[in-house]
Amino acid sequence: MQADSDDAEQWTGASHVYELDTGGDEEREIAHCLAQWDATAPGTGVDSRAFRSAQWSPDGTMVATVSEDNALRVYDANNVVQQFATGTLAGDVAAKGGDEPSVTVTHGETVLDYAWYPHMNRHVDGTNCIVESMRDHPIHLRDTEGPGTRVRATYRAVDACDALLTATALAFAPDACGLFAGYAGHLAHFDVHRPGLPTQMVLTSPNRRSRDGMKGIVSCVARMDAPSDGGLLACASLGNHVSLYSRADLNSCAALWTVPQEYAGSGVTALQWARGGTVVWAASRRSPYIVGWDVRDLRGPWAVLQRPLATTNQRLEIDVDGTGRHLVAGQVDGTITVYDPADNQAPVAFSAHNDAVPAVAMHPFYPLLVSASGQRHFGDPGAPVDCSLKIWSLDARYLPHASAAKVIAT
């Protein structure tokens, strides 16, 4: 099944655009900061440690981040999460600040993507690991426990000339036995238990001149754990294409469509499944829209969310909560916007940081949100620099605290 891009651009029967109304003056508490870490270089105030991405570990006790200084850091959030789960948080926890990251791995190249081992559990030896990819390097499976942080295994893909390819997007299979990697014009599957070359590698387009297939660098790979996902793997490229592949056989492309021109930017940089397994959300660079498609009907977008001020080259992540109902997105002005498109609710936003928020991630079990801020400031040495990581509670019982954020848009 392949969606016709022309029909996708013209068909608007089931599409609805949610605009962010900033005219309201109502103030109500929506989130409370439980913990925060300041990663700004001590005594410098420079943006070299600006966060680029953040991910919760599958067991919900750690947060992995990537920064502009090419470092992968892991923060231990177990105490905050356990106190939240047991209802023993006392006072304004955020005012106490946070400890240094438990793991810091510095690289010579930018970390393009990373993913936690799906069965990761801090109490089970051998499961605390993460895969990472960098330019001109194979994929590394690295320990995140202990001082060694050794590389356990490497996975590499080569082209027809035996030149090493750079993985730009990573995702584990739900059973943790397989690893999917996106490249420039290629998609590969690795056996996690057999390091080395991929077990399957396919072209996303027949050749560079062809107009068929998914064009451009594969920028995002997303898998869904719901039983209703049909074993599909969602992929997106910097050519503004989105496609669905069968996880069992990458030669089987179930669907391929193009982001409508009026919502497209300079390539898709964020891709997420809604938890129901039927809606795929995509956000593009330099585009003020987040577009969602119902994979059962690809004649056009299912919903379009407005994202003000998102006309930036910076990658801005999105995430969906555990219910599949709310979508969370960071903004350039330091706010975080929460959308509820399923019930036609107006989005709300709250002020979270003093700089851009490129990274947001919902906790896998609890109503907790982690956000990370920072960006490069060119030609403006006096601009405020905020390179911080925060954990927010979206639970009403913690909102009366003084540091609770206020809704600034209704």
Side-chain angles (χ1 to χ4, degrees), residues 1-3 244 253-256 295-298:
M1 177 178 61
Q2 180 167 333
L244 301 178
C253 183
L256 171 67
V295 297
R296 299 167 296 181
D297 186 352
L298 294 174

Side-chain angles (χ1 to χ4, degrees), residues 25 58 67 85-86 93 104 132 160 178 236 259 291 316 337 354 376-377 379:
D25 55 0
S67 306
T86 57
V93 180
T104 300
E132 58 185 6
V259 179
V291 188
L316 301 177
T337 307
N354 295 323
R376 290 184 176 180
H377 298 273

Side-chain angles (χ1 to χ4, degrees), residues 176-200:
C177 293
L179 174 65
F180 297 97
Y183 298 87
H186 294 81
L187 190 63
H189 173 268
F190 296 90
D191 186 341
V192 174
H193 303 99
R194 196 191 74 180
L197 296 175
T199 59
Q200 186 180 22

Side-chain angles (χ1 to χ4, degrees), residues 232-252:
L232 295 176
L233 181 74
C235 304
S237 72
L238 295 182
N240 286 318
H241 291 98
V242 184
S243 60
L244 301 178
Y245 286 86
S246 170
R247 293 199 299 263
D249 183 8
L250 295 181
N251 286 307
S252 176

Side-chain angles (χ1 to χ4, degrees), residues 336-362:
I336 296 175
T337 307
V338 182
Y339 303 88
D340 186 3
D343 290 342
N344 199 21
Q345 297 293 321
V348 297
F350 63 92
S351 180
H353 298 269
N354 295 323
D355 212 334
V357 185
V360 290
M362 294 296 301

